[in-house]
Amino acid sequence: MSGAADVTKADGLPAEIRKLTEDARMTVRRAGVPPADGKCVVYWMQRAQRALDNPALDTAIKIGNTLGLPVVAFFSAISNFPHANLRHYVFLNQGLADIEADMAERNVTFLVRRAPNHSLERFLDEVQAAMVIGDENPCREPERWRRVLAQRLKLPFWTVDADVVVPSKLFAKHQYMVHILRKRMEPLLPQYLAAQPIVMAQKSWPRPKGFEALNVTEDITKGWRDFDRSVKPVDSFHGGTRAAQKLLKEFVTTKLANYATMRNHPEVDGTSRLSPYLHFGHISPLTIALAVEDACKKGLATQQAKEGYLNELIQWRELAVNFVKYVPQYDSIESAPEWAQKTLREHAGDRRNPVYTLEQLEHAETHDELWNAAQRQMLHAGWMHNYLRMYWAKKILEWTPSPAKAWEFAVILNDKYFLDGRDPNGYAGVAWAIGGVHDRPWFEREIFGTIRYMSGNSTGKKFDSKRYIRQMEELAGA
Ligand SMILES: Cc1cc2nc3c(=O)[nH]c(=O)nc-3n(C[C@H](O)[C@H](O)[C@H](O)COP(=O)(O)OP(=O)(O)OC[C@H]3O[C@@H](n4cnc5c(N)ncnc54)[C@H](O)[C@@H]3O)c2cc1C
């Protein structure tokens, strides 16, 4: 470690590095001073799979530059990531080449290893790491891994809340409604909705000859026996930062202006379709938000269109992060507010007719053409339009023996087939539709009680549902 850094306080950390801990994005998981013989700073990349607008990578680079050390970004691919299957991994794999190229632009070496040779601790020993910077993921298992790692590591280990515009820590508890979060977020947005400087790593990492790492274009799942290959990849989305940037450009130039009306038309491609890229961290919500602001400044869209889109991207999306962060039972009926649990209990005995099994739902075998079409979009595109996601989940409540079962089925299908599944947005979406989370009581009716209802008739009349059904039949046929 270079002796150049200015160590001024009793904790032994250089002042520039200590100052970074004042940032609300930062969580010091394991405090301490980087060892003097450390040879690099490691960014352990998990959720924020990108090199652009990535505050976790920026932090690693700033620390590396202060310590006079190079930065190595490490991605460890495991075969048993909860509920992940071939569809998800192909998309992830497609993104690795862009990460490597963009990291190189910042003078950072990107290294990928895969199970069974994927141990982070072994990697840290091999590269003689001085410090580890990770990103954040509020979901149960990834958060548990970070806690376990903090106990096992001997090095300083910090994580950075890289995939939200406003650091999630700034809201100390669950925010029950989007308007409450919006009000609390408003004064913070000018600070966080701002372009970040691109910091270059000053030192390069001298890669030892024969250092083990995967070629990023190789199949990372090759040879995995315990891996779920039952869900096939889709042609509808190609993973990676470049593909995300292309979609973003297309969206701000041709779709943003009409977002308010076209976002409720599943038969028209009127939304950004960026959710899979946000889920894998191939693009940052900040990059998207700034592009939308810029488009508005250039007159490509009105202030109203911009606000409508940012309301989904920032307020609704970060409400979902807040929900998963603070409500431990986020993927089950226990997360529903008291009024919703009570009304669902009161209607638990209502007759359900028809009742479908998980398999019937999964294979789009219901009597409802529109619902089956939505399910086909899930199966064959790995994505579904928001308007139909609401309808889809509410019908599962109507057609299953109990709300708890409905919740369970919706989460299973959501996580299995959506490229953007296994995400706070999915858990919050199901909780909203089935459990009234972030919603209010509506009119009392059978099965639903006062949970908001959506009827097939009125939903199908709000857009050209016949066209949508035809499109999904074609998709399934193809
Ligand atoms: C039952 C149900 C399940 C859902 N499952 C998921 C899921 O697994 N993964 C997922 O990312 N989203 C999920 N959503 C939220 C939403 O439907 C999708 O984010 C959206 O349809 C993605 O399409 P888009 O990127 O074109 O969105 P756009 O309309 O272009 O919006 C831009 C971004 O804003 C965010 N956003 C939009 N709508 C919402 C919303 N209602 N809640 C939270 N964030 C939102 C997303 O990140 C989205 O990519 C679910 C919603 C419901 C009701």
Side-chain angles (χ1 to χ4, degrees):
M1 193 170 102
S2 144
D6 167 29
V7 178
T8 51
K9 283 245 173 90
D11 63 10
L13 276 178
E16 299 96 308
I17 296 183
R18 187 180 325 105
K19 192 148 180 45
L20 295 174
T21 64
E22 292 165 14
D23 187 335
R25 283 193 200 282
M26 217 69 69
T27 299
V28 177
R29 302 253 175 181
R30 185 171 188 94
V33 182
D37 58 352
K39 296 278 190 291
C40 63
V41 172
V42 169
Y43 166 38
W44 171 45
M45 189 186 83
Q46 247 224 341
R47 184 172 180 219
Q49 295 173 22
R50 64 180 180 275
L52 306 173
D53 278 336
N54 182 344
L57 176 67
D58 294 345
T59 303
I61 294 177
K62 281 180 202 158
I63 293 173
N65 288 348
T66 306
L67 298 176
L69 294 175
V71 178
V72 178
F74 177 59
F75 183 71
S76 157
I78 56 169
S79 54
N80 57 353
F81 197 104
H83 313 295
N85 54 50
L86 187 63
R87 174 172 293 180
H88 304 120
Y89 267 67
V90 165
F91 187 85
L92 181 156
N93 217 154
Q94 288 166 346
L96 296 177
D98 291 347
I99 303 170
E100 184 179 61
D102 292 342
M103 291 271 180
E105 290 279 310
R106 299 183 69 179
N107 199 23
V108 171
T109 305
F110 179 50
L111 297 166
V112 177
R113 285 185 180 173
R114 59 194 209 102
N117 301 316
H118 64 297
S119 157
L120 173 64
E121 283 158 284
R122 202 188 98 203
F123 178 83
L124 297 174
D125 276 351
E126 284 177 33
V127 296
Q128 290 178 262
M131 189 159 174
V132 189
I133 304 297
D135 42 41
E136 291 267 350
N137 184 338
C139 293
R140 196 173 293 121
E141 272 297 284
E143 169 56 21
R144 190 180 67 77
W145 297 336
R146 284 158 178 77
R147 283 172 198 254
V148 168
L149 198 68
Q151 282 171 0
R152 295 214 322 225
L153 286 184
K154 295 185 185 71
L155 300 170
F157 170 41
W158 301 2
T159 52
V160 186
D161 201 2
D163 285 276
V164 284
V165 172
V166 179
S168 51
K169 214 193 267 176
L170 291 176
F171 310 103
K173 56 184 174 119
H174 179 211
Q175 309 292 306
Y176 291 93
M177 298 291 243
V178 77
H179 69 265
I180 298 175
L181 179 75
R182 188 180 302 121
K183 205 161 151 234
R184 294 188 174 143
M185 238 183 203
E186 243 158 33
L188 301 166
L189 279 177
Q191 181 186 348
Y192 291 105
L193 207 47
Q196 297 301 305
I198 299 178
V199 192
M200 292 282 296
Q202 284 159 8
K203 290 228 164 159
S204 313
W205 185 65
R207 182 174 179 154
K209 220 168 173 256
F211 190 85
E212 182 194 330
L214 203 74
N215 177 336
V216 294
T217 57
E218 267 179 57
D219 172 10
I220 49 171
T221 73
K222 201 165 138 195
W224 283 348
R225 282 165 172 239
D226 58 344
F227 180 63
D228 177 6
R229 295 180 191 277
S230 64
V231 186
K232 299 293 168 238
V234 286
D235 295 331
S236 37
F237 293 89
H238 186 94
T241 300
R242 296 289 170 282
Q245 286 167 327
K246 190 163 169 254
L247 271 185
L248 174 60
K249 192 166 172 205
E250 213 175 283
F251 175 71
V252 294
T253 49
T254 64
K255 297 179 191 163
L256 176 62
N258 299 318
Y259 180 72
T261 42
M262 296 325 269
R263 69 178 296 260
N264 286 328
H265 282 265
E267 80 282 24
V268 178
D269 190 11
T271 65
S272 69
R273 297 168 68 93
L274 282 165
S275 53
Y277 302 91
L278 282 161
H279 171 75
F280 283 89
H282 290 167
I283 195 162
S284 138
L286 180 67
T287 309
I288 303 174
L290 292 177
V292 166
E293 288 211 317
D294 191 49
C296 181
K297 276 189 205 132
K298 287 179 178 151
L300 291 170
T302 60
Q303 183 73 11
Q304 199 191 1
K306 176 190 98 172
E307 282 168 13
Y309 184 79
L310 295 186
N311 183 43
E312 302 300 327
L313 175 75
I314 304 179
Q315 277 88 14
W316 277 102
R317 183 172 176 275
E318 296 187 14
L319 183 64
V321 171
N322 170 273
F323 170 63
V324 167
K325 186 177 170 79
Y326 291 113
V327 180
Q329 316 85 343
Y330 57 77
D331 49 357
S332 75
I333 196 162
E334 281 86 58
S335 66
E338 193 37 52
W339 68 264
Q341 295 209 29
K342 182 166 175 284
T343 196
L344 288 171
R345 264 197 313 271
E346 283 165 2
H347 288 270
D350 294 359
R351 196 166 90 93
R352 273 91 170 139
N353 184 24
V355 171
Y356 294 113
T357 62
L358 177 60
E359 289 68 30
Q360 286 171 310
L361 295 168
E362 183 164 15
H363 299 124
E365 290 166 358
T366 77
H367 66 282
D368 179 335
E369 269 190 306
L370 180 59
W371 194 93
N372 291 345
Q375 178 63 17
R376 286 190 188 113
Q377 188 167 30
M378 171 188 255
L379 290 176
H380 302 287
W383 185 87
M384 194 192 289
H385 191 281
N386 178 60
Y387 197 45
L388 285 167
R389 292 196 204 216
M390 300 194 260
Y391 181 68
W392 173 85
K394 285 187 180 290
K395 289 291 146 185
I396 298 181
L397 172 59
E398 200 172 319
W399 300 333
T400 38
S402 70
K405 258 294 161 240
W407 206 302
E408 186 193 325
F409 286 0
V411 168
I412 289 174
L413 296 174
N414 201 93
D415 283 357
K416 183 170 175 182
Y417 290 105
F418 282 149
L419 280 170
D420 60 26
R422 306 170 301 124
D423 188 278
N425 266 359
Y427 303 117
V430 170
W432 176 88
I434 297 179
V437 170
H438 306 145
D439 204 359
R440 64 173 173 83
W442 289 71
F443 309 108
E444 184 103 14
R445 57 174 299 129
E446 278 193 345
I447 302 174
F448 283 74
T450 53
I451 301 284
R452 186 196 297 243
Y453 178 72
M454 277 171 87
S455 90
N457 266 346
S458 66
T459 304
K461 280 186 194 136
K462 288 189 177 136
F463 64 98
D464 188 347
S465 53
K466 291 223 160 29
R467 187 171 156 207
Y468 175 77
I469 291 167
R470 269 198 316 276
Q471 288 168 343
M472 293 313 128
E473 273 163 7
E474 279 165 26
L475 179 73

